[in-house]
């Protein structure tokens, strides 16, 4: 069974045969990565513990921002002679079923169901099905999977579940009304790209901030009304000329989606309209402490943030993933052409180093990076 993994020093030195290890740098930290074979999984469909389980053969997978922190944790705390299998998103084929599985058939194409905070059964935990999505074979509870159409390309399906489920939960909570002015920060982040695409079917005005205009044309093609370049040293929203003029004219933005609250929350509340909604699903500083590096973020003034929020009657909303219906709605919209998912590149075979380089080091990346088993 194949795995794409982060490897300890000793296993790196002992790799041979069909396994291979390469070295990349992430945030100036050397990381050993590669393809490692492990023992095949034995799955007895009649075993009591497998009654509601499904054996999935992975066809492709992708990593998310959250995986980077897990990688650095492995580098810091993992054993020298072990390896850590990566991957949050995946697509696979059902190859065997437990005796009481009713949701799937052999041959179904499936992705992960990250339903959170509630799971529909006591037999499965809420949240992401696995932090090891590149395991070529994996046994998962049927409630942790959803079917996707066979005509959904593997590269899209392998990049879909977390972004689709999160973005549709975000948009559901924003509940945008026609004509709303919506600001999306960090436009090139994967979650922001999903949210922008998810908003496309609503009659709203989408504005997006970015620190580079390299993909201005692509962002405008996704339906963004104005691509806002943040070029000041600290990328302050309140110092941007377009934003200042917009707030003076319109009173502020009706909704703000911000994937990294520790980057923009304090600035965002100052440019929002009365009764507006701010929603975030993550933080930028997820891993810097693990590698003894400074993210160079100024600390947030929560007294100031809450004073502004109270005076303006703002709603500040946190979002973690979404429910199963959010993911199913995203799949339906993709099938009917209402949701487009940018895929930056696809790697396979011995291109593991290139996969990680493109995922985490490429400044010109636009969309998800996928690894496919050949």
């Amino acid at each position: 069974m194949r795995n794409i993994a982060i490897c300890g020093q000793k296993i790196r030195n002992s790799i041979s045969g069909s396994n291979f290890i390469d070295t990349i740098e992430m945030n100036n930290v050397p990381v050993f990565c590669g393809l490692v074979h492990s023992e095949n999984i034995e799955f007895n469909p009649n075993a009591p513990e497998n009654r509601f389980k499904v054996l999935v053969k992975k066809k492709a997978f992708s990593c998310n921002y959250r995986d980077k922190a897990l990688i650095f944790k492995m580098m810091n705390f993992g054993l020298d002679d072990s390896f850590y299998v990566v991957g949050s998103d995946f697509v696979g084929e059902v190859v065997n079923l437990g005796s009481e599985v009713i949701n799937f058939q052999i041959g179904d194409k499936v992705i992960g169901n990250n339903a959170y905070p509630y799971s529909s059964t006591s037999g499965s935990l809420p949240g992401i099905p696995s932090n090891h999505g590149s395991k070529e074979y994996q046994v998962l509870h049927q409630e942790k999977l959803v079917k996707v159409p066979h005509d959904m390309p593997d590269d899209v399906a392998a990049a879909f579940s977390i972004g689709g489920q999160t973005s549709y939960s975000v948009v559901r909570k924003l509940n945008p009304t026609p004509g709303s002015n919506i600001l999306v920060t960090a436009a090139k982040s994967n979650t922001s790209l999903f949210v922008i695409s998810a908003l496309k079917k609503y009659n709203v005005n989408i504005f997006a901030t970015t620190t580079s205009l390299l993909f201005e044309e692509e962002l405008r093609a996704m339906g963004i009304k104005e691509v806002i370049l943040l070029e000041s040293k600290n990328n302050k929203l309140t110092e941007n000329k377009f934003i200042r003029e917009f707030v003076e004219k319109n009173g502020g933005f009706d909704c703000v989606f911000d994937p990294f609250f520790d980057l923009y929350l304090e600035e965002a509340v100052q440019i929002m309209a009365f009764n507006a909604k701010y929603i975030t699903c993550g933080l930028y500083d997820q891993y810097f402490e693990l590698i003894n590096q400074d993210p160079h973020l100024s600390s947030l003034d929560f007294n100031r943030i809450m004073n502004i929020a109270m005076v303006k009657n703002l709603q500040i909303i946190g979002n973690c993933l979404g429910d199963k219906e959010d993911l199913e709605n995203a799949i339906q919209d993709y099938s009917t052409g209402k949701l487009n998912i940018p895929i930056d590149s696809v790697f396979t075979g011995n291109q593991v180093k290139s996969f990680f380089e493109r995922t985490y080091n490429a400044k010109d990346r636009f969309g998800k990076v996928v690894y496919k088993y050949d």
Side-chain angles (χ1 to χ4, degrees):
M1 179 177 74
R2 294 174 289 184
N3 310 271
I4 304 301
I6 304 301
C7 301
Q9 180 70 41
K10 290 182 180 179
I11 192 172
R12 172 180 179 267
N13 294 335
S14 62
I15 285 295
S16 61
S18 55
N19 302 309
F20 63 88
I21 301 296
D22 218 326
T23 306
I24 64 169
E25 280 199 355
M26 292 168 54
N27 292 75
N28 299 314
V29 175
V31 175
F32 307 125
C33 62
L35 186 147
V36 180
H37 286 75
S38 60
E39 292 184 5
N40 290 331
I41 288 179
E42 294 185 6
F43 181 80
N44 179 359
N46 297 312
E49 65 271 19
N50 290 333
R51 288 182 303 159
F52 303 105
K53 303 288 183 64
V54 177
L55 178 61
V56 178
K57 181 181 181 181
K58 308 294 179 50
K59 303 171 76 175
F61 82 98
S62 64
C63 289
N64 292 281
Y65 191 71
R66 65 185 297 275
D67 291 277
K68 196 170 184 179
L70 297 173
I71 289 170
F72 284 132
K73 283 180 181 178
M74 165 61 195
M75 297 303 297
N76 275 359
F77 307 116
L79 300 176
D80 284 347
D81 58 355
S82 68
F83 61 92
Y84 178 83
V85 183
V86 300
S88 295
D89 277 316
F90 63 85
V91 60
E93 178 183 358
V94 174
V95 293
N96 209 339
L97 302 167
S99 58
E100 296 187 40
V101 171
I102 59 174
N103 297 344
F104 301 98
Q105 297 179 344
I106 292 175
D108 282 344
K109 188 172 186 175
V110 294
I111 62 175
N113 171 23
N114 315 282
Y116 183 88
Y118 305 110
S119 179
S120 57
T121 176
S122 60
S124 65
L125 296 174
I128 293 172
S130 173
N131 291 324
H132 316 293
S134 70
K135 283 187 175 181
E136 189 174 14
Y137 290 89
Q138 197 165 22
V139 178
L140 297 165
H141 196 284
Q142 65 175 346
E143 294 299 331
K144 303 307 296 180
L145 299 166
V146 295
K147 287 187 281 190
V148 294
H150 280 280
D151 60 0
M152 178 185 283
D154 288 345
D155 54 351
V156 172
F160 195 91
S161 72
I162 291 178
Q165 205 153 16
T166 298
S167 62
Y168 272 63
S169 175
V170 164
V171 173
R172 169 170 54 84
K173 292 175 182 178
L174 287 178
N175 191 25
T177 56
S180 294
N181 295 314
I182 301 178
L183 179 68
V184 178
T185 67
K188 288 204 304 109
S189 77
N190 288 321
T191 309
S192 290
L193 290 174
F194 266 94
V195 168
I196 290 166
S197 189
L199 286 168
K200 184 174 58 176
K201 69 177 183 178
Y202 297 87
N203 184 23
V204 295
N205 303 311
I206 309 172
F207 303 83
T209 68
T210 181
T211 55
S212 168
L213 292 180
L214 184 62
F215 293 102
E216 180 180 11
E217 184 177 335
E218 289 84 350
L219 289 168
R220 288 188 182 277
M222 293 179 70
I224 293 177
K225 185 172 183 177
E226 187 69 33
V227 179
I228 305 166
L229 177 65
L230 298 179
E231 52 187 346
S232 65
K233 181 178 180 181
N234 295 318
N235 297 321
K236 288 187 177 296
L237 302 178
T238 53
E239 294 177 359
N240 180 270
K241 183 175 183 293
F242 175 87
I243 291 177
R244 288 202 313 267
E245 292 177 350
F246 178 90
V247 172
E248 290 173 4
K249 180 180 179 180
N250 299 280
F253 293 94
D254 302 304
C255 302
V256 174
F257 169 69
D258 182 10
F260 306 115
F261 81 86
D262 48 345
L263 284 181
Y264 295 116
L265 172 58
E266 188 171 343
E267 295 285 311
V269 295
Q270 298 176 59
I271 61 170
M272 293 169 65
F274 283 83
N275 300 308
K277 294 179 180 179
Y278 169 97
I279 189 164
T280 184
C281 64
L283 70 159
Y284 182 71
D285 184 11
Q286 293 189 27
Y287 59 83
F288 290 94
E289 187 176 90
L290 294 169
I291 53 177
N292 298 315
Q293 292 181 8
D294 183 358
H296 303 292
L297 301 177
S298 57
S299 57
L300 298 175
D301 185 343
F302 282 101
N303 284 339
R304 186 183 189 198
I305 291 169
M306 292 310 300
N307 280 332
I308 295 172
M310 288 184 288
V311 169
K312 289 187 174 182
N313 282 323
L314 303 180
Q315 294 183 49
I316 298 178
I317 305 169
N319 185 86
C320 183
L321 299 167
D323 58 32
K324 185 177 182 180
E325 187 176 358
D326 292 319
L327 181 56
E328 291 173 337
N329 288 339
I331 294 168
Q332 177 62 28
D333 277 356
Y334 174 84
S335 298
T336 57
K338 296 176 182 177
L339 179 68
N340 296 316
I341 308 305
I343 300 298
D344 176 88
S345 50
V346 179
F347 297 92
T348 190
N350 64 356
Q351 298 174 315
V352 177
K353 176 179 179 178
S354 298
F355 164 75
F356 283 110
E357 288 276 10
R358 192 71 193 164
T359 299
Y360 292 119
N361 293 340
K363 294 185 181 299
D364 62 341
R365 177 182 57 79
F366 188 79
K368 289 295 292 287
V369 180
V370 173
Y371 181 93
K372 293 177 71 172
Y373 286 118
D374 50 18

